[in-house]
Every structure is written in structure tokens, then in C-alpha cells.
Amino acid sequence: MKPYYEHAGITIYHGDCREVLPTLPKVDLVLTDPPFSEKTHAGARSGDIRHQTKPIDFPSAEVEFIRKVFELCAPSRWLITFLDWHHALPLELDPPKGLEFIRLGVWLKENPMPQMTGDRPATGWESLALLHGSSSKHWNGGGSAAVWLCGTSRYGYFGPSFHPTAKPLTIG
């Protein structure tokens, strides 16, 4: 696997963690954005809000898939992942093998995508789960809150993005 970026002892790989992680020794951080649920995507694409009346099913096949993928990350020190908010609780109650659920954080979007249907407010935040794989934890942010307030990279601050779920460069 060829590095995406290398400088001053920092190496960044970009790709599917199921392909990248098996080729590497222990890593310090895995930052990932697994696919959000069909329920989330269905609500984002239409004005049909009937999906919101169904109870959340724990554990779902989506959570089990995420848990299995995250188990690949267990040798890493930190796993930080954007994820559907309703996937966070099952991961906290039953974390992937080799990982400890540390905190649920939030990215508050300064310039969220508007709700195009106009039938409800736009989503102005995304959840981030912070998990750790070793017994010795050190967070470079000290004791700061797990809240990031920044704009989206989709449009605005950095111009248009060519990725439908671009994340801000300032989170990290």
C-alpha cells in the first residue's frame, strides 16, 4: 500500500481500512467514515419521514458489520469514526473486540446542507465515536470537549468538493 502523505515521521494512508490495515504494523490513529445506514440515506433523499416512526433495532446488521470492520482497527491506539448516532449506543454497550469505547463526540456544522424538502430542519451535526485499543491513553487535546465546531468541506470555506460526504480538514 502506497502512502497518501509522508512528512516528518507522519504517514497517512487513504483507502478502505479492510485493505490498508492488514498491510501495516500497529498504527496510532484510524480515522474512518463507514457508510451511514440506509435509514439515514433514505431520509436524506426524500421528504418521506415515515422511517422515523420505526423503533431502532439493536443490534442491527449494520452495527454488526461496523463492529467487525472496527475489530480490524484494534491494534491501533485510537479509532475515531463518524457514524450514525444510533450506531453509537450499541458500540458503547458492546464495543468491538480489542477496543474500549471512550466517548461520543459531535461535529457541529457551521454551514450544514439545507433540508431541500423544507418539511423539517436540516441536520446540523454528526456524531463521532472515539475508541481506544491500548491500555495507555493520551489525548493530544488534553481535557478539551469532544465537540468540534467547523464548517463542512462540501461547499463554502474550501469551495466545492467532489465527495458526497466530505469531512472538514479542521477535525483532528
Side-chain angles (χ1 to χ4, degrees):
M1 174 65 59
K2 184 179 174 188
Y4 175 76
Y5 171 89
E6 279 186 292
H7 180 71
I10 296 171
T11 306
I12 297 175
Y13 294 89
H14 177 251
D16 187 324
C17 69
R18 296 172 294 180
E19 297 169 6
V20 175
L21 288 173
T23 68
L24 301 174
K26 184 175 179 176
V27 297
D28 289 326
L29 168 69
V30 174
L31 178 64
T32 186
D33 183 20
F36 278 34
S37 69
E38 289 301 318
K39 175 179 170 181
T40 298
H41 289 294
R45 287 193 298 260
S46 74
D48 182 0
I49 60 172
R50 289 176 291 173
H51 68 278
Q52 294 177 337
T53 62
K54 296 178 184 175
I56 297 169
D57 181 24
F58 297 124
S60 69
E62 293 162 351
V63 172
E64 291 307 313
F65 171 77
I66 290 170
R67 187 178 283 116
K68 292 291 184 199
V69 170
F70 288 177
E71 286 175 3
L72 294 172
C73 303
S76 66
R77 291 183 52 184
W78 285 100
L79 167 65
I80 300 174
T81 180
F82 294 85
L83 75 165
D84 275 342
W85 63 269
H86 62 274
H87 290 158
L89 180 61
L91 290 176
E92 181 178 18
L93 296 174
D94 185 18
K97 290 178 186 152
L99 291 168
E100 177 185 355
F101 189 97
I102 303 298
R103 182 86 57 236
L104 180 65
V106 65
W107 163 32
L108 298 173
K109 300 176 182 181
E110 292 179 320
N111 61 341
M113 176 68 107
Q115 180 65 38
M116 298 306 207
T117 60
D119 64 345
R120 60 192 176 273
T123 302
W125 64 281
E126 284 188 33
S127 60
L128 290 94
L130 290 78
L131 297 99
H132 198 271
S134 70
S135 59
S136 176
K137 293 183 272 300
H138 178 74
W139 182 255
N140 288 344
S144 61
V147 176
W148 291 269
L149 176 63
C150 48
T152 64
S153 301
R154 190 172 191 156
Y155 62 96
Y157 301 116
F158 303 110
S161 171
F162 297 106
H163 193 279
T165 61
K167 304 303 184 221
L169 298 173
T170 52
I171 289 182

